[in-house]
Amino acid sequence: LLYSVSYYFHLTLSSMASFGSLHARMWQFAIGHIVNEYCQLFTASDKADPELPVSSRLGSFTVTLGFIVLVLLPIKIEDTFVRLFVSLLTGFLICCGSRKSRFAVMSNKFLEYMGDISYVVYLIHWPIIVLCKYHRNVYELANEDILNCLALTIFISVVVHHSIEQTFIKGPFVLSAISTVLIYSFLCSAIFNGDILKTPNANMKTLYADAIKYNLENSNALYFSKPNGSLEDTQAVAWTNYTEEAPLRTYVPGNGSASILLIGNSYAYRAFPVILRLFEGRFKEFRFLAHSGCLLLSARTCYLSNAIHTVIEKQKPDITFVIAKDLHYLEPIKGNVLDDIHVKNTQDELDFLSNHSGKVVFDLQYFRPNVTGGVAYTVAKRLQQSNVFLEDIKVTYDEYKRVHAPEITRMEALKAPNLILNRVGDQMCSARTNTCWFYNHHNLRAYYGDWDAHLTTEGLKLLEAGYTRIIEDFLATHKS
């Protein structure tokens, strides 16, 4: 009953709480206890008949090797099952190790040696990983870093095993007792005289306070003040009679010669101040026209679609940015991509835009986090609760590519000589570490604001390099 309750706690607690809670780990100790009882029960029979036929030993070898291969296979398994399976397998291997004559694999000299140094490996591996992450300034290690950590762990473990561990194993009890007292005295001194039990220093308190304030402000932000120099777009209203959602319409005059148009939905609204700033006034006019929830490409779902056609025909922009997040593109593709309805509709819109604009820039979509209440709210709430564990607020780069594979296939199927695809999702991830963070782990500011995953000013910073490259290339070509 006690072990069943322990496993229940293990299943219901968070991974971090479960890892550090004794009552949530007792079921693992139980496996070792049961294995010990089992091995004691069969020890006598093993001594009476130490050798088994070759066929029996071959079967045990196959079973054991099969378990080892299964653990090493690069397949994704649910974490709860992995913990249970690995714990049971460990117990099985311990039992096999006590009956070497029956399990040929466990009498292998290399595996025996790895078992001898395993406790030192256990003690050494985590400090090495922490130091490597600190040195690399990352939360997730790249594959080459993992291999380096593994090699360094094995090397140090071998040295410590032969130079220190063996000394204590073979030495007198007094040596072990004195060393233990000294180590615990040092730890107690560090706890009560050092910084371990102290509250975060002033700089950390300021960091947390600023992060909480920023994230709460961005967790439900809807509209913001228009950038300096923004004017009422009376010309577009005269062309179209379109007057909906005034915050998402504006006109900015500049001191250059290029005509700029930015269209889309609420995601374009967030990007508008950034793109405007990066142009640095090097345009004749910058027109922004959008509507929340409007799908401009895969389906013309709002009145703004007709208004945009009129504006483009009248303005004839030198470059048109289209930023409109659309979940239709993430749907699985059935059959030939060119026969896909979303590709056909998008190609029709692209043909019109391409014919009336010098350049056309499509922003591809970034990963939308599935975080209850939104990323900004979640980060702020955890910091308010003094919970600084935020390492789960991310997704792997491989997962992002898997989810967005249909969109990328559709976008790459589009044809236009002046089309530029801006892969903003890639700019928010690190292929090297296989990670897409949802917040800045230096200042703890979320990249995503509300529940609908609109980008915050912190998240938009990740896209500035891509926008800058497009803008500078366009201006250089336009000038020539």
Side-chain angles (χ1 to χ4, degrees):
L1 177 63
L2 180 63
Y3 297 147
S4 298
V5 172
S6 172
Y7 191 64
Y8 171 77
F9 275 111
H10 172 75
L11 293 176
T12 55
L13 293 176
S14 67
S15 59
M16 186 177 183
S18 176
F19 181 81
S21 301
L22 177 61
H23 59 277
R25 304 286 296 273
M26 289 184 66
W27 65 274
Q28 293 175 313
F29 301 145
I31 293 174
H33 173 73
I34 293 171
V35 167
N36 179 66
E37 293 293 331
Y38 175 82
C39 293
Q40 292 288 342
L41 182 64
F42 286 93
T43 298
S45 61
D46 282 353
K47 290 180 179 178
D49 183 20
E51 292 294 333
L52 287 179
V54 174
S55 59
S56 297
R57 282 184 283 149
L58 181 60
S60 67
F61 175 87
T62 304
V63 171
T64 307
L65 187 61
F67 276 127
I68 295 174
V69 171
L70 181 61
V71 170
L72 295 177
L73 283 177
I75 56 178
K76 186 173 180 61
I77 308 175
E78 203 276 324
D79 288 346
T80 302
F81 175 77
V82 169
R83 296 189 190 105
L84 177 60
F85 175 76
V86 170
S87 298
L88 291 174
L89 179 58
T90 301
F92 173 78
L93 294 177
I94 291 173
C95 187
C96 293
S98 68
R99 308 168 72 196
K100 296 177 185 177
S101 62
R102 295 173 181 261
F103 292 87
V105 172
M106 302 311 296
S107 62
N108 180 277
K109 295 300 181 182
F110 173 75
L111 292 182
E112 284 189 352
Y113 184 76
M114 293 304 296
D116 290 339
I117 68 170
S118 62
Y119 186 65
V120 182
V121 171
Y122 166 71
L123 296 177
I124 293 294
H125 85 283
W126 189 244
I128 290 177
I129 291 174
V130 171
L131 289 173
C132 184
K133 287 183 176 182
Y134 178 80
H135 174 70
R136 293 285 193 183
N137 195 25
V138 296
Y139 280 96
E140 292 290 331
L141 295 177
N143 291 335
E144 59 268 28
D145 293 331
I146 293 175
L147 292 176
N148 290 334
C149 286
L150 177 61
L152 186 59
T153 298
I154 298 297
F155 174 77
I156 295 178
S157 298
V158 169
V159 173
V160 172
H161 171 70
H162 289 284
S163 61
I164 300 177
E165 186 180 30
Q166 288 296 316
T167 301
F168 284 104
I169 292 175
K170 297 177 181 179
F173 171 77
V174 175
L175 176 62
S176 299
I178 294 175
S179 299
T180 301
V181 170
L182 290 175
I183 291 173
Y184 275 92
S185 299
F186 171 77
L187 291 176
C188 290
S189 175
I191 291 174
F192 293 104
N193 298 319
D195 294 329
I196 296 178
L197 294 182
K198 291 183 179 180
T199 56
N201 58 38
N203 290 336
M204 293 302 294
K205 284 185 175 181
T206 301
L207 172 65
Y208 295 160
D210 290 344
I212 291 171
K213 180 175 183 294
Y214 177 87
N215 290 320
L216 288 178
E217 289 175 349
N218 283 272
S219 63
N220 57 4
L222 185 59
Y223 296 121
F224 49 79
S225 300
K226 292 181 179 179
N228 293 333
S230 300
L231 305 176
E232 185 71 23
D233 193 357
T234 56
Q235 190 174 43
V237 172
W239 287 339
T240 63
N241 292 322
Y242 178 83
T243 57
E244 296 181 17
E245 205 167 6
L248 273 66
R249 295 181 288 107
T250 194
Y251 177 88
V252 182
N255 51 24
S257 59
S259 177
I260 316 299
L261 176 64
L262 170 59
I263 58 176
N265 50 30
S266 54
Y267 296 86
Y269 177 56
R270 266 64 176 186
F272 164 57
V274 174
I275 297 176
L276 177 65
R277 173 171 54 81
L278 294 176
F279 265 103
E280 298 176 337
R282 294 171 293 175
F283 51 78
K284 179 181 67 176
E285 58 180 354
F286 190 124
R287 175 169 280 110
F288 169 55
L289 188 58
H291 192 285
S292 298
C294 186
L295 304 182
L296 299 179
L297 301 176
S298 69
R300 302 182 67 191
T301 60
C302 60
Y303 174 61
L304 175 63
S305 300
N306 293 327
I308 286 176
H309 277 206
T310 301
V311 169
I312 290 178
E313 288 178 321
K314 296 287 188 180
Q315 180 179 342
K316 293 181 174 55
D318 295 303
I319 186 170
T320 299
F321 292 85
V322 183
I323 305 177
K325 303 308 174 188
D326 186 344
L327 297 182
H328 285 139
Y329 293 127
L330 303 183
E331 296 174 359
I333 300 172
K334 299 177 181 179
N336 192 321
V337 65
L338 297 179
D339 296 329
D340 180 78
I341 183 62
H342 303 311
V343 172
K344 289 182 176 180
N345 290 342
T346 304
Q347 184 66 60
D348 290 342
E349 286 300 304
L350 175 59
D351 290 341
F352 181 86
L353 296 173
S354 178
N355 291 333
H356 295 84
S357 181
K359 297 286 184 182
V360 180
V361 180
F362 281 3
D363 263 20
L364 276 66
Q365 301 177 83
Y366 50 76
F367 191 89
R368 291 165 56 92
N370 184 22
V371 178
T372 303
V375 175
Y377 174 80
T378 299
V379 173
K381 197 68 176 177
R382 290 191 187 182
L383 294 178
Q384 287 178 328
Q385 296 172 343
S386 300
N387 178 5
V388 296
F389 180 76
L390 304 172
E391 294 191 34
D392 59 323
I393 307 181
K394 62 184 178 184
V395 71
T396 64
Y397 182 61
D398 290 338
E399 176 67 7
Y400 152 72
K401 289 193 298 182
R402 183 191 66 80
V403 172
H404 286 262
E407 179 201 22
I408 294 173
T409 301
R410 287 184 169 102
M411 292 293 106
E412 291 180 344
L414 300 175
K415 304 297 180 184
N418 53 352
L419 173 63
I420 300 172
L421 297 178
N422 186 24
R423 298 173 181 266
V424 297
D426 289 350
Q427 298 163 30
M428 301 188 69
C429 299
S430 170
R432 179 182 174 277
T433 61
N434 192 34
T435 309
C436 305
W437 287 101
F438 298 162
Y439 71 100
N440 185 323
H441 48 270
H442 296 295
N443 58 22
L444 306 183
R445 293 185 173 189
Y447 292 145
Y448 302 85
D450 56 18
W451 61 271
D452 208 20
H454 291 96
L455 292 184
T456 63
T457 53
E458 196 69 28
L460 287 165
K461 290 178 182 177
L462 301 177
L463 308 187
E464 288 194 13
Y467 287 135
T468 298
R469 186 164 50 252
I470 292 172
I471 291 170
E472 295 302 327
D473 290 346
F474 160 73
L475 290 175
T477 304
H478 181 73
K479 181 182 295 185
S480 62

